[in-house]
Amino acid sequence: MTALTPELLAALALFAFVSSITPGPNNTMLMASGANFGFRASIPHLMGVSGGFFILVVAVGLGLGGLFSAYPELHDILSVAGGLYLLWLAWKIATSKGMTTSGGSGKPQTFLQAAAFQWVNPKAWAMALGAVTAYAPREHYVANILVVSLIFMAINLPCVMSWTGFGVGLRRFLDKPAVLRGFNIAMALLLVVSLIPLALELIGA
């Protein structure tokens, strides 16, 4: 039993769709993975994104968000760690050897790697905190958290699949090493650009 009204569920679904389909670290990396490794090889990565985010929303709803409210410095430490990790991922993408069908030596992220990444992904934290604080009524709170998490995962999965598929669609245009290298550098730069709001927040803090 939950306290989620049809109106609240509709608003939650819209929030989940908009936040899941818009560009961010996960979608950028999945598009790069689809372009470099293909859709099938990227399935563990995209499943890890949705599964890891589901766990993150549940954890935030069950008290982790309150811990960061009580100790803001912990959130800052996590944000810095996430930013550094994203920079490392940007470097890995920029220096990728190429598509697997062309003899590339890189590997897509595993399920566990993608799931663990959600815990240091600034956008994922913003989405999780927004979902919990705005769409989970206090009445029947635990049930509401589970419903919010499941709805978010159900909407997030096809969104991240579409970004992976978009990357796969680009493979035929990226069969030349120079073109693929330019694409990977562009994806790496997008990851770096996605860190600007985080950097401004930390500087302002």
Side-chain angles (χ1 to χ4, degrees):
M1 181 177 183
T2 73
L4 289 165
T5 63
E7 294 78 15
L8 199 57
L9 285 171
L12 169 63
L14 181 61
F15 172 71
F17 174 75
V18 171
S19 57
S20 296
I21 200 66
T22 49
N26 280 321
N27 290 335
T28 301
M29 289 189 294
L30 282 169
M31 185 167 67
S33 182
N36 283 275
F37 308 113
F39 191 88
R40 179 174 296 181
S42 300
I43 289 177
H45 185 170
L46 66 88
M47 293 299 294
V49 169
S50 288
F53 184 72
F54 169 81
I55 296 172
L56 179 63
V57 175
V58 172
V60 169
L62 296 182
L64 198 54
L67 180 64
F68 287 132
S69 297
Y71 303 98
E73 62 274 10
L74 293 180
H75 187 269
D76 291 340
I77 292 172
L78 184 69
S79 296
V80 171
L84 292 175
Y85 184 57
L86 276 173
L87 289 175
W88 180 79
L89 287 174
W91 171 255
K92 295 288 289 184
I93 291 174
T95 58
S96 174
K97 298 298 182 183
M99 292 186 285
T100 53
T101 55
S102 300
S105 59
K107 294 181 180 180
Q109 282 196 357
T110 66
F111 177 89
L112 290 178
Q113 287 173 332
F117 172 66
Q118 305 317 305
W119 292 83
V120 293
N121 180 0
K123 184 182 178 184
W125 274 100
M127 291 164 61
L129 289 169
V132 168
T133 56
Y135 302 105
R138 294 298 170 188
E139 184 181 0
H140 308 297
Y141 183 69
V142 174
N144 293 334
I145 290 297
L146 292 176
V147 171
V148 166
S149 303
L150 288 170
I151 290 176
F152 227 114
M153 184 174 65
I155 293 175
N156 177 262
L157 184 57
C159 290
V160 296
M161 289 175 66
S162 69
W163 277 84
T164 309
F166 182 57
V168 173
L170 292 175
R171 284 171 68 85
R172 57 180 162 174
F173 303 106
L174 303 174
D175 55 351
K176 295 181 180 179
V179 177
L180 181 62
R181 178 67 181 270
F183 171 80
N184 285 336
I185 291 176
M187 293 299 98
L189 289 175
L190 283 177
L191 274 184
V192 174
V193 169
S194 73
L195 288 173
I196 292 177
L198 173 64
L200 293 176
E201 180 182 346
L202 291 174
I203 293 173

